[in-house]
Amino acid sequence: MVSDGKTVESYRLALDIELHTWNGFAQALRTNDRQAFQQMADACRNHASAGSNSTRPELFEPMIMSILLEQQKRLMRLEKELIALKQKLSQP
């Protein structure tokens, strides 16, 4: 992604620092949970540009929205797959 100013870079830096503070928590998780946690952290990083444009003063709020967005995208994809599977199974 292209950075167009200090806002994006400072948000990315703050995000990296915030995610780093969660390392102890992540390390205490079981392997499967650790993988899920890493995917959530990746969602935050993937949507850092959007987070930097948030007018929310708390860093954690755009992080949560990024995670929720990825969860919603996954749910929508699974719903489409389920509908397609149901249609395929209902055909003679």
Side-chain angles (χ1 to χ4, degrees):
M1 279 182 199
V2 177
S3 169
D4 61 350
K6 286 186 172 183
T7 304
V8 173
E9 293 304 322
S10 62
Y11 178 83
R12 288 181 191 278
L13 179 59
L15 177 62
D16 285 340
I17 291 168
E18 178 67 20
L19 291 173
H20 181 73
T21 66
W22 287 91
N23 280 349
F25 177 84
Q27 292 303 315
L29 296 171
R30 294 184 177 141
T31 302
N32 290 344
D33 291 341
R34 210 172 307 140
Q35 290 171 348
F37 183 85
Q38 185 59 48
Q39 287 179 350
M40 292 181 353
D42 290 344
C44 294
R45 290 184 191 98
N46 290 339
H47 298 289
S49 292
S52 71
N53 287 320
S54 172
T55 58
R56 301 298 221 182
E58 294 295 324
L59 176 65
F60 198 65
E61 290 173 355
M63 290 173 64
I64 293 299
M65 288 304 294
S66 296
I67 293 165
L68 289 172
L69 174 61
E70 286 301 312
Q71 293 297 314
Q72 183 62 30
K73 287 169 38 180
R74 184 172 291 165
L75 283 172
M76 290 168 58
R77 187 187 77 245
L78 290 171
E79 285 175 339
K80 285 181 184 180
E81 290 175 12
L82 182 59
I83 289 168
L85 182 60
K86 283 181 177 181
Q87 289 174 346
K88 185 177 180 180
L89 291 174
S90 68
Q91 294 175 355

Coordinates of all heavy atoms in Angstrom, one line a residue:
M1 N 0.8 -1.2 0.0 CA 0.0 0.0 0.0 C 0.9 1.2 0.0 O 1.9 1.3 0.6 CB -0.9 0.0 1.2 CG -2.1 -0.8 1.1 SD -3.1 -0.7 2.6 CE -4.0 -2.2 2.3
V2 N 0.4 2.3 -0.6 CA 1.1 3.5 -0.7 C 0.7 4.4 0.4 O -0.5 4.6 0.7 CB 0.8 4.2 -2.1 CG1 1.5 5.5 -2.1 CG2 1.2 3.3 -3.2
S3 N 1.7 4.9 1.1 CA 1.4 5.9 2.2 C 1.4 7.3 1.6 O 2.3 7.7 0.8 CB 2.5 5.8 3.2 OG 2.4 6.8 4.1
D4 N 0.4 8.1 1.9 CA 0.3 9.4 1.4 C 0.6 10.5 2.5 O 0.2 11.6 2.3 CB -1.1 9.6 0.7 CG -2.2 9.5 1.7 OD1 -2.0 9.0 2.8 OD2 -3.3 9.8 1.3
G5 N 1.1 10.1 3.6 CA 1.4 11.0 4.6 C 1.7 10.4 6.0 O 1.7 9.2 6.1
K6 N 1.9 11.2 7.0 CA 2.3 10.8 8.3 C 1.2 10.0 9.0 O 1.5 9.1 9.8 CB 2.7 11.9 9.2 CG 4.0 12.5 8.8 CD 4.4 13.6 9.9 CE 5.8 14.0 9.7 NZ 6.2 15.0 10.7
T7 N -0.1 10.3 8.7 CA -1.2 9.6 9.4 C -1.1 8.1 9.2 O -1.2 7.4 10.2 CB -2.5 10.1 8.8 OG1 -2.5 11.5 9.0 CG2 -3.7 9.5 9.6
V8 N -0.9 7.6 8.0 CA -0.9 6.2 7.8 C 0.3 5.6 8.5 O 0.2 4.6 9.2 CB -0.8 5.9 6.3 CG1 -0.6 4.4 6.0 CG2 -2.1 6.3 5.6
E9 N 1.5 6.2 8.3 CA 2.7 5.6 9.0 C 2.6 5.6 10.5 O 2.9 4.7 11.2 CB 3.9 6.3 8.5 CG 4.3 6.1 7.1 CD 4.4 4.7 6.7 OE1 5.0 3.9 7.5 OE2 4.0 4.3 5.6
S10 N 2.1 6.7 11.1 CA 2.0 6.7 12.5 C 0.9 5.7 13.0 O 1.1 5.1 14.1 CB 1.6 8.2 13.0 OG 0.4 8.6 12.5
Y11 N -0.2 5.6 12.3 CA -1.1 4.5 12.7 C -0.5 3.2 12.6 O -0.7 2.3 13.5 CB -2.4 4.6 11.8 CG -3.4 3.6 12.1 CD1 -4.3 3.7 13.2 CD2 -3.4 2.3 11.5 CE1 -5.2 2.8 13.5 CE2 -4.4 1.4 11.8 CZ -5.2 1.6 12.8 OH -6.1 0.6 13.2
R12 N 0.2 2.9 11.5 CA 0.8 1.6 11.4 C 1.8 1.3 12.5 O 1.9 0.2 13.0 CB 1.5 1.5 10.0 CG 0.6 1.3 8.8 CD 1.4 1.2 7.5 NE 0.5 1.3 6.4 CZ -0.2 0.4 5.9 NH1 -0.2 -0.8 6.4 NH2 -1.0 0.6 4.8
L13 N 2.6 2.3 12.8 CA 3.5 2.2 13.9 C 2.8 1.9 15.3 O 3.1 1.0 16.0 CB 4.4 3.4 14.1 CG 5.4 3.4 15.2 CD1 6.4 2.3 15.1 CD2 6.2 4.7 15.2
A14 N 1.7 2.7 15.5 CA 1.0 2.5 16.7 C 0.3 1.1 16.8 O 0.3 0.4 17.8 CB -0.1 3.6 16.9
L15 N -0.2 0.7 15.6 CA -0.8 -0.6 15.5 C 0.2 -1.7 15.8 O 0.0 -2.7 16.5 CB -1.4 -0.8 14.1 CG -2.0 -2.2 13.8 CD1 -3.1 -2.5 14.7 CD2 -2.4 -2.3 12.3
D16 N 1.4 -1.6 15.2 CA 2.5 -2.6 15.5 C 2.8 -2.7 17.0 O 3.0 -3.7 17.5 CB 3.7 -2.3 14.6 CG 3.6 -2.7 13.2 OD1 2.7 -3.5 12.9 OD2 4.3 -2.2 12.4
I17 N 2.9 -1.5 17.6 CA 3.2 -1.4 19.0 C 2.1 -2.1 19.8 O 2.3 -2.9 20.7 CB 3.4 0.0 19.5 CG1 4.7 0.5 18.8 CG2 3.5 0.1 21.0 CD1 4.9 2.0 19.0
E18 N 0.8 -1.8 19.5 CA -0.3 -2.4 20.2 C -0.3 -3.9 20.0 O -0.5 -4.6 21.0 CB -1.6 -1.8 19.6 CG -2.9 -2.4 20.3 CD -3.0 -2.0 21.8 OE1 -2.4 -1.0 22.2 OE2 -3.8 -2.7 22.4
L19 N -0.1 -4.4 18.8 CA -0.1 -5.8 18.6 C 1.0 -6.5 19.3 O 0.9 -7.6 19.8 CB 0.0 -6.1 17.1 CG -1.3 -5.8 16.3 CD1 -1.0 -5.9 14.8 CD2 -2.5 -6.6 16.7
H20 N 2.1 -5.8 19.4 CA 3.3 -6.3 20.2 C 3.0 -6.5 21.6 O 3.4 -7.5 22.3 CB 4.5 -5.4 20.0 CG 5.7 -5.9 20.7 ND1 6.4 -7.0 20.2 CD2 6.3 -5.5 21.8 CE1 7.4 -7.3 21.1 NE2 7.4 -6.4 22.0
T21 N 2.1 -5.6 22.2 CA 1.8 -5.7 23.6 C 0.9 -6.9 23.9 O 0.8 -7.3 25.0 CB 1.0 -4.4 24.1 OG1 -0.3 -4.3 23.4 CG2 1.8 -3.2 23.9
W22 N 0.4 -7.5 22.8 CA -0.5 -8.7 23.0 C 0.3 -10.0 22.8 O -0.2 -11.1 22.8 CB -1.6 -8.7 22.0 CG -2.7 -7.7 22.3 CD1 -2.7 -6.4 21.9 CD2 -3.8 -7.9 23.2 NE1 -3.8 -5.8 22.5 CE2 -4.5 -6.7 23.2 CE3 -4.3 -9.0 23.9 CZ2 -5.6 -6.5 24.0 CZ3 -5.4 -8.8 24.6 CH2 -6.1 -7.6 24.7
N23 N 1.6 -9.9 22.6 CA 2.5 -11.1 22.4 C 2.4 -12.1 23.5 O 2.3 -13.3 23.3 CB 3.9 -10.7 22.1 CG 4.2 -10.3 20.7 OD1 3.3 -10.4 19.9 ND2 5.3 -9.7 20.5
G24 N 2.4 -11.6 24.8 CA 2.3 -12.5 25.9 C 1.0 -13.3 25.9 O 1.0 -14.5 26.2
F25 N -0.1 -12.6 25.6 CA -1.4 -13.2 25.5 C -1.4 -14.3 24.4 O -1.8 -15.4 24.6 CB -2.4 -12.2 25.2 CG -3.8 -12.7 25.0 CD1 -4.7 -12.9 26.1 CD2 -4.3 -12.9 23.7 CE1 -6.0 -13.4 25.9 CE2 -5.6 -13.4 23.5 CZ -6.4 -13.7 24.6
A26 N -0.9 -13.9 23.2 CA -0.8 -14.8 22.1 C 0.0 -16.1 22.4 O -0.4 -17.2 22.1 CB -0.3 -14.1 20.9
Q27 N 1.1 -15.9 23.1 CA 2.0 -17.0 23.4 C 1.4 -18.0 24.4 O 1.7 -19.2 24.4 CB 3.3 -16.5 23.9 CG 4.2 -15.8 22.9 CD 4.4 -16.7 21.6 OE1 4.8 -17.8 21.7 NE2 4.2 -16.1 20.5
A28 N 0.5 -17.5 25.2 CA -0.2 -18.3 26.2 C -1.4 -19.2 25.6 O -1.9 -20.1 26.3 CB -0.7 -17.5 27.3
L29 N -1.7 -18.9 24.4 CA -2.8 -19.6 23.7 C -2.4 -20.9 23.2 O -1.2 -21.2 22.9 CB -3.3 -18.7 22.5 CG -4.0 -17.4 22.9 CD1 -4.2 -16.6 21.6 CD2 -5.3 -17.6 23.7
R30 N -3.3 -21.8 23.1 CA -3.1 -23.1 22.4 C -2.8 -22.9 20.9 O -3.1 -21.8 20.4 CB -4.3 -24.0 22.5 CG -4.5 -24.4 24.0 CD -5.7 -25.4 24.1 NE -5.8 -25.8 25.4 CZ -7.0 -26.0 26.0 NH1 -8.1 -25.8 25.4 NH2 -7.0 -26.4 27.3
T31 N -2.2 -23.8 20.3 CA -1.7 -23.6 18.9 C -2.9 -23.2 18.0 O -2.7 -22.2 17.2 CB -1.1 -24.9 18.3 OG1 0.0 -25.3 19.2 CG2 -0.6 -24.8 16.9
N32 N -4.0 -23.8 18.0 CA -5.1 -23.4 17.1 C -5.6 -22.0 17.4 O -5.9 -21.2 16.5 CB -6.3 -24.4 17.3 CG -6.0 -25.8 16.7 OD1 -5.1 -25.9 15.9 ND2 -6.9 -26.7 17.0
D33 N -5.7 -21.7 18.7 CA -6.1 -20.4 19.1 C -5.0 -19.3 18.7 O -5.4 -18.2 18.3 CB -6.3 -20.3 20.6 CG -7.5 -21.1 21.1 OD1 -8.4 -21.4 20.2 OD2 -7.6 -21.4 22.3
R34 N -3.8 -19.7 18.8 CA -2.7 -18.8 18.4 C -2.8 -18.5 16.9 O -2.6 -17.3 16.5 CB -1.3 -19.4 18.7 CG -0.3 -18.4 19.0 CD 1.0 -19.0 19.5 NE 0.8 -19.9 20.6 CZ 1.4 -21.1 20.8 NH1 2.3 -21.5 19.9 NH2 1.2 -21.8 21.8
Q35 N -3.1 -19.5 16.1 CA -3.3 -19.3 14.6 C -4.5 -18.3 14.4 O -4.4 -17.4 13.5 CB -3.5 -20.6 13.9 CG -2.3 -21.5 13.9 CD -2.6 -22.9 13.4 OE1 -3.7 -23.3 13.2 NE2 -1.5 -23.6 13.1
A36 N -5.6 -18.5 15.1 CA -6.7 -17.6 15.0 C -6.4 -16.2 15.4 O -6.7 -15.2 14.7 CB -7.9 -18.1 15.8
F37 N -5.6 -16.1 16.5 CA -5.2 -14.8 16.9 C -4.3 -14.1 15.9 O -4.4 -12.9 15.6 CB -4.4 -14.9 18.2 CG -4.0 -13.5 18.8 CD1 -4.9 -12.8 19.6 CD2 -2.7 -13.0 18.6 CE1 -4.5 -11.6 20.1 CE2 -2.4 -11.8 19.1 CZ -3.3 -11.1 19.8
Q38 N -3.4 -14.9 15.2 CA -2.5 -14.3 14.2 C -3.4 -13.8 13.0 O -3.1 -12.8 12.4 CB -1.5 -15.4 13.7 CG -0.5 -14.8 12.8 CD 0.3 -13.7 13.3 OE1 0.8 -13.7 14.4 NE2 0.4 -12.6 12.6
Q39 N -4.4 -14.6 12.7 CA -5.3 -14.1 11.6 C -6.0 -12.8 11.9 O -6.2 -11.9 11.1 CB -6.3 -15.2 11.2 CG -5.7 -16.4 10.5 CD -6.8 -17.5 10.2 OE1 -7.9 -17.4 10.7 NE2 -6.4 -18.4 9.4
M40 N -6.4 -12.6 13.2 CA -7.0 -11.4 13.6 C -6.0 -10.2 13.5 O -6.3 -9.1 13.1 CB -7.5 -11.5 15.0 CG -8.7 -12.4 15.1 SD -9.5 -12.7 16.7 CE -8.5 -11.8 17.9
A41 N -4.7 -10.5 13.9 CA -3.7 -9.5 13.8 C -3.4 -9.1 12.4 O -3.3 -7.9 12.0 CB -2.4 -10.0 14.5
D42 N -3.4 -10.1 11.5 CA -3.3 -9.9 10.1 C -4.4 -9.0 9.5 O -4.2 -8.2 8.7 CB -3.2 -11.2 9.3 CG -1.9 -11.9 9.6 OD1 -0.9 -11.3 10.1 OD2 -1.8 -13.1 9.3
A43 N -5.6 -9.3 10.0 CA -6.8 -8.5 9.6 C -6.6 -7.0 9.9 O -6.8 -6.1 9.1 CB -8.1 -9.0 10.2
C44 N -6.0 -6.8 11.1 CA -5.7 -5.4 11.5 C -4.7 -4.7 10.6 O -4.9 -3.6 10.2 CB -5.2 -5.3 13.0 SG -6.5 -5.8 14.2
R45 N -3.7 -5.5 10.3 CA -2.6 -5.0 9.4 C -3.1 -4.7 8.0 O -2.8 -3.8 7.4 CB -1.4 -5.9 9.4 CG -0.6 -6.0 10.7 CD 0.6 -6.9 10.5 NE 1.2 -7.1 11.8 CZ 1.0 -8.2 12.6 NH1 0.2 -9.2 12.1 NH2 1.5 -8.3 13.7
N46 N -4.0 -5.7 7.5 CA -4.5 -5.6 6.2 C -5.4 -4.4 6.0 O -5.6 -3.9 4.9 CB -5.3 -6.8 5.8 CG -4.4 -8.0 5.6 OD1 -3.2 -7.9 5.4 ND2 -4.9 -9.2 5.7
H47 N -6.0 -3.9 7.0 CA -6.9 -2.8 7.0 C -6.4 -1.5 7.7 O -7.1 -0.7 8.1 CB -8.3 -3.2 7.5 CG -9.0 -4.3 6.8 ND1 -9.5 -4.1 5.5 CD2 -9.1 -5.6 7.1 CE1 -10.0 -5.3 5.1 NE2 -9.8 -6.1 6.1
A48 N -5.1 -1.5 7.7 CA -4.4 -0.3 8.4 C -4.7 1.0 7.8 O -4.9 2.0 8.4 CB -2.9 -0.6 8.5
S49 N -4.8 1.0 6.4 CA -5.1 2.3 5.8 C -6.5 2.8 6.2 O -6.7 4.0 6.4 CB -5.0 2.1 4.2 OG -3.7 1.9 3.9
A50 N -7.5 1.9 6.2 CA -8.8 2.3 6.6 C -8.8 2.7 8.1 O -9.4 3.7 8.5 CB -9.8 1.1 6.4
G51 N -8.0 2.0 8.9 CA -7.9 2.4 10.3 C -7.3 3.7 10.5 O -7.7 4.5 11.4
S52 N -6.4 4.1 9.7 CA -5.7 5.4 9.8 C -6.7 6.5 9.5 O -6.5 7.6 9.9 CB -4.5 5.5 9.0 OG -4.8 5.5 7.6
N53 N -7.7 6.2 8.7 CA -8.7 7.2 8.3 C -9.9 7.3 9.3 O -10.8 8.1 9.2 CB -9.3 6.9 6.9 CG -8.2 7.2 5.9 OD1 -7.5 8.2 6.0 ND2 -8.1 6.4 4.9
S54 N -9.9 6.4 10.3 CA -10.9 6.4 11.3 C -10.7 7.7 12.2 O -9.6 8.1 12.5 CB -10.8 5.2 12.2 OG -11.7 5.3 13.3
T55 N -11.8 8.3 12.6 CA -11.8 9.4 13.4 C -11.9 9.0 14.9 O -12.0 9.9 15.8 CB -12.9 10.4 13.1 OG1 -14.2 9.7 13.3 CG2 -12.8 10.9 11.7
R56 N -11.7 7.7 15.2 CA -11.8 7.2 16.5 C -10.5 7.5 17.3 O -9.4 7.2 16.7 CB -12.1 5.7 16.6 CG -13.4 5.3 15.9 CD -14.5 6.0 16.6 NE -15.6 5.1 16.7 CZ -16.7 5.4 17.2 NH1 -16.9 6.6 17.7 NH2 -17.7 4.5 17.3
P57 N -10.6 8.0 18.5 CA -9.3 8.3 19.2 C -8.6 7.1 19.8 O -7.5 7.1 20.1 CB -9.8 9.2 20.3 CG -11.2 8.9 20.5 CD -11.7 8.5 19.2
E58 N -9.4 6.0 19.9 CA -8.8 4.8 20.5 C -8.4 3.9 19.4 O -9.1 3.5 18.5 CB -9.9 4.1 21.4 CG -10.3 4.8 22.6 CD -9.2 5.0 23.6 OE1 -8.3 4.1 23.7 OE2 -9.1 6.1 24.2
L59 N -7.1 3.4 19.4 CA -6.6 2.6 18.4 C -7.3 1.2 18.4 O -7.5 0.7 17.3 CB -5.1 2.3 18.8 CG -4.3 1.3 17.9 CD1 -4.2 1.9 16.5 CD2 -2.9 1.1 18.5
F60 N -7.8 0.7 19.5 CA -8.4 -0.6 19.6 C -9.7 -0.7 18.7 O -10.0 -1.7 18.2 CB -8.6 -1.0 21.0 CG -8.9 -2.4 21.2 CD1 -7.9 -3.3 21.0 CD2 -10.1 -2.9 21.7 CE1 -8.1 -4.7 21.2 CE2 -10.3 -4.2 21.9 CZ -9.3 -5.1 21.6
E61 N -10.4 0.4 18.6 CA -11.7 0.4 17.9 C -11.5 0.1 16.4 O -12.2 -0.8 15.9 CB -12.4 1.7 18.1 CG -12.9 1.9 19.6 CD -13.5 3.3 19.8 OE1 -13.5 4.2 19.0 OE2 -14.0 3.4 21.0
P62 N -10.6 0.8 15.7 CA -10.5 0.4 14.3 C -9.9 -1.0 14.1 O -10.1 -1.7 13.2 CB -9.6 1.4 13.7 CG -9.1 2.3 14.8 CD -9.9 2.0 16.0
M63 N -9.1 -1.5 15.1 CA -8.6 -2.8 15.1 C -9.8 -3.8 15.2 O -9.8 -4.8 14.4 CB -7.7 -3.1 16.3 CG -6.3 -2.4 16.2 SD -5.3 -2.5 17.7 CE -5.0 -4.3 17.7
I64 N -10.7 -3.6 16.1 CA -11.9 -4.5 16.2 C -12.7 -4.4 15.0 O -13.2 -5.5 14.5 CB -12.7 -4.1 17.5 CG1 -11.9 -4.4 18.7 CG2 -14.0 -4.8 17.5 CD1 -11.5 -5.8 18.9
M65 N -12.9 -3.3 14.4 CA -13.7 -3.2 13.1 C -13.0 -3.9 12.0 O -13.7 -4.6 11.2 CB -13.9 -1.7 12.8 CG -14.9 -1.0 13.7 SD -16.5 -1.8 13.8 CE -17.1 -1.6 12.1
S66 N -11.7 -3.9 11.9 CA -11.0 -4.7 10.9 C -11.2 -6.2 11.1 O -11.4 -6.9 10.1 CB -9.5 -4.4 11.0 OG -9.2 -3.0 10.7
I67 N -11.1 -6.6 12.3 CA -11.4 -8.0 12.6 C -12.8 -8.4 12.3 O -13.1 -9.4 11.6 CB -11.0 -8.3 14.1 CG1 -9.5 -8.2 14.3 CG2 -11.5 -9.8 14.5 CD1 -9.1 -8.1 15.8
L68 N -13.8 -7.6 12.7 CA -15.2 -7.9 12.4 C -15.4 -7.9 10.9 O -16.2 -8.7 10.4 CB -16.1 -6.8 13.1 CG -16.2 -7.0 14.6 CD1 -16.9 -5.8 15.2 CD2 -16.8 -8.3 15.0
L69 N -14.8 -7.0 10.2 CA -14.9 -6.9 8.7 C -14.5 -8.2 8.1 O -15.1 -8.8 7.2 CB -14.1 -5.8 8.1 CG -14.1 -5.7 6.6 CD1 -15.5 -5.5 6.0 CD2 -13.2 -4.5 6.2
E70 N -13.3 -8.7 8.5 CA -12.8 -10.0 8.0 C -13.7 -11.2 8.3 O -14.0 -12.1 7.5 CB -11.4 -10.3 8.5 CG -10.4 -9.4 7.8 CD -10.3 -9.6 6.3 OE1 -10.3 -10.7 5.8 OE2 -10.3 -8.6 5.6
Q71 N -14.3 -11.1 9.5 CA -15.2 -12.2 10.0 C -16.5 -12.1 9.1 O -17.0 -13.2 8.7 CB -15.6 -12.0 11.4 CG -14.5 -12.3 12.4 CD -14.0 -13.7 12.3 OE1 -14.7 -14.7 12.3 NE2 -12.7 -13.9 12.2
Q72 N -17.0 -10.9 8.8 CA -18.2 -10.8 8.0 C -17.9 -11.2 6.6 O -18.8 -11.9 6.0 CB -18.7 -9.3 8.0 CG -19.9 -9.1 7.2 CD -21.1 -9.8 7.8 OE1 -21.2 -10.1 9.0 NE2 -22.1 -10.2 7.0
K73 N -16.8 -10.9 6.0 CA -16.4 -11.4 4.7 C -16.4 -12.9 4.6 O -16.9 -13.5 3.7 CB -15.1 -10.8 4.3 CG -15.2 -9.3 3.9 CD -13.8 -8.7 3.7 CE -12.7 -9.4 3.0 NZ -11.5 -8.7 2.9
R74 N -15.8 -13.5 5.7 CA -15.8 -15.0 5.7 C -17.2 -15.6 5.8 O -17.5 -16.6 5.2 CB -14.9 -15.4 6.9 CG -14.7 -16.9 7.0 CD -13.7 -17.3 8.1 NE -12.4 -16.8 7.7 CZ -11.4 -16.7 8.4 NH1 -11.5 -17.0 9.7 NH2 -10.2 -16.3 8.0
L75 N -18.0 -15.0 6.7 CA -19.4 -15.5 6.8 C -20.2 -15.4 5.5 O -20.9 -16.3 5.1 CB -20.2 -14.7 7.9 CG -19.9 -15.0 9.3 CD1 -20.5 -14.0 10.2 CD2 -20.3 -16.4 9.6
M76 N -20.0 -14.3 4.8 CA -20.7 -14.1 3.5 C -20.2 -15.1 2.5 O -21.0 -15.7 1.7 CB -20.4 -12.7 3.0 CG -21.2 -11.6 3.8 SD -20.7 -9.9 3.5 CE -21.0 -9.8 1.7
R77 N -18.9 -15.4 2.5 CA -18.4 -16.4 1.5 C -18.9 -17.8 1.9 O -19.3 -18.5 1.0 CB -16.8 -16.4 1.6 CG -16.2 -17.3 0.5 CD -14.7 -17.4 0.7 NE -14.4 -18.4 1.8 CZ -13.8 -18.0 2.9 NH1 -13.4 -16.8 3.1 NH2 -13.5 -19.0 3.8
L78 N -18.9 -18.1 3.1 CA -19.5 -19.4 3.6 C -21.0 -19.5 3.3 O -21.4 -20.6 2.9 CB -19.2 -19.6 5.0 CG -17.7 -19.9 5.4 CD1 -17.5 -19.9 6.9 CD2 -17.2 -21.1 4.8
E79 N -21.7 -18.5 3.4 CA -23.1 -18.5 3.1 C -23.3 -18.8 1.6 O -24.2 -19.6 1.3 CB -23.8 -17.2 3.5 CG -24.0 -17.0 5.0 CD -24.6 -15.6 5.3 OE1 -24.5 -14.7 4.5 OE2 -25.2 -15.5 6.4
K80 N -22.6 -18.1 0.8 CA -22.7 -18.4 -0.7 C -22.3 -19.8 -1.0 O -23.0 -20.4 -1.8 CB -21.7 -17.4 -1.4 CG -22.2 -16.0 -1.5 CD -21.3 -15.2 -2.3 CE -21.7 -13.7 -2.3 NZ -20.8 -12.9 -3.0
E81 N -21.3 -20.3 -0.4 CA -20.9 -21.7 -0.6 C -22.0 -22.7 -0.1 O -22.3 -23.7 -0.8 CB -19.6 -22.0 0.1 CG -18.4 -21.3 -0.5 CD -17.1 -21.6 0.2 OE1 -17.0 -22.5 1.1 OE2 -16.1 -20.9 -0.1
L82 N -22.6 -22.4 1.0 CA -23.6 -23.2 1.5 C -24.9 -23.2 0.6 O -25.5 -24.3 0.3 CB -24.0 -22.8 2.9 CG -25.1 -23.6 3.7 CD1 -24.7 -25.1 3.8 CD2 -25.4 -23.0 5.0
I83 N -25.2 -22.1 0.1 CA -26.4 -21.9 -0.8 C -26.1 -22.7 -2.0 O -27.0 -23.5 -2.5 CB -26.7 -20.5 -1.1 CG1 -27.3 -19.8 0.2 CG2 -27.6 -20.3 -2.3 CD1 -27.4 -18.3 0.1
A84 N -24.9 -22.6 -2.6 CA -24.6 -23.3 -3.8 C -24.6 -24.8 -3.6 O -25.1 -25.6 -4.4 CB -23.2 -22.9 -4.3
L85 N -24.1 -25.3 -2.4 CA -24.1 -26.7 -2.1 C -25.5 -27.2 -1.9 O -25.9 -28.3 -2.4 CB -23.3 -26.9 -0.8 CG -23.2 -28.4 -0.3 CD1 -22.5 -29.2 -1.4 CD2 -22.4 -28.4 1.0
K86 N -26.4 -26.4 -1.2 CA -27.8 -26.8 -1.1 C -28.5 -27.0 -2.4 O -29.2 -27.9 -2.7 CB -28.5 -25.8 -0.2 CG -28.2 -26.0 1.3 CD -29.0 -25.0 2.1 CE -28.8 -25.1 3.5 NZ -29.7 -24.2 4.3
Q87 N -28.2 -26.0 -3.3 CA -28.8 -26.1 -4.6 C -28.3 -27.3 -5.4 O -29.1 -27.9 -6.1 CB -28.5 -24.8 -5.4 CG -29.2 -23.6 -4.9 CD -28.8 -22.3 -5.6 OE1 -27.8 -22.2 -6.3 NE2 -29.6 -21.2 -5.4
K88 N -27.1 -27.6 -5.3 CA -26.5 -28.7 -6.0 C -27.1 -30.0 -5.5 O -27.4 -30.9 -6.2 CB -25.0 -28.7 -5.8 CG -24.3 -29.8 -6.6 CD -22.8 -29.7 -6.4 CE -22.1 -30.8 -7.2 NZ -20.6 -30.7 -7.1
L89 N -27.3 -30.1 -4.2 CA -27.8 -31.3 -3.5 C -29.3 -31.5 -3.8 O -29.8 -32.6 -3.8 CB -27.6 -31.3 -2.0 CG -26.1 -31.5 -1.6 CD1 -26.0 -31.3 -0.1 CD2 -25.6 -32.8 -2.1
S90 N -30.0 -30.4 -4.0 CA -31.5 -30.5 -4.3 C -31.8 -30.8 -5.7 O -32.9 -31.1 -6.0 CB -32.1 -29.2 -3.8 OG -31.8 -28.1 -4.7
Q91 N -30.8 -30.7 -6.6 CA -31.1 -31.1 -8.0 C -31.1 -32.6 -8.2 O -30.3 -33.3 -7.6 CB -30.0 -30.5 -8.9 CG -30.0 -29.0 -8.9 CD -28.8 -28.4 -9.7 OE1 -28.0 -29.1 -10.2 NE2 -28.8 -27.1 -9.9
P92 N -32.0 -33.1 -9.0 CA -32.1 -34.5 -9.2 C -31.0 -35.1 -10.0 O -30.3 -34.6 -10.7 CB -33.5 -34.7 -10.0 CG -33.9 -33.4 -10.4 CD -33.1 -32.4 -9.7

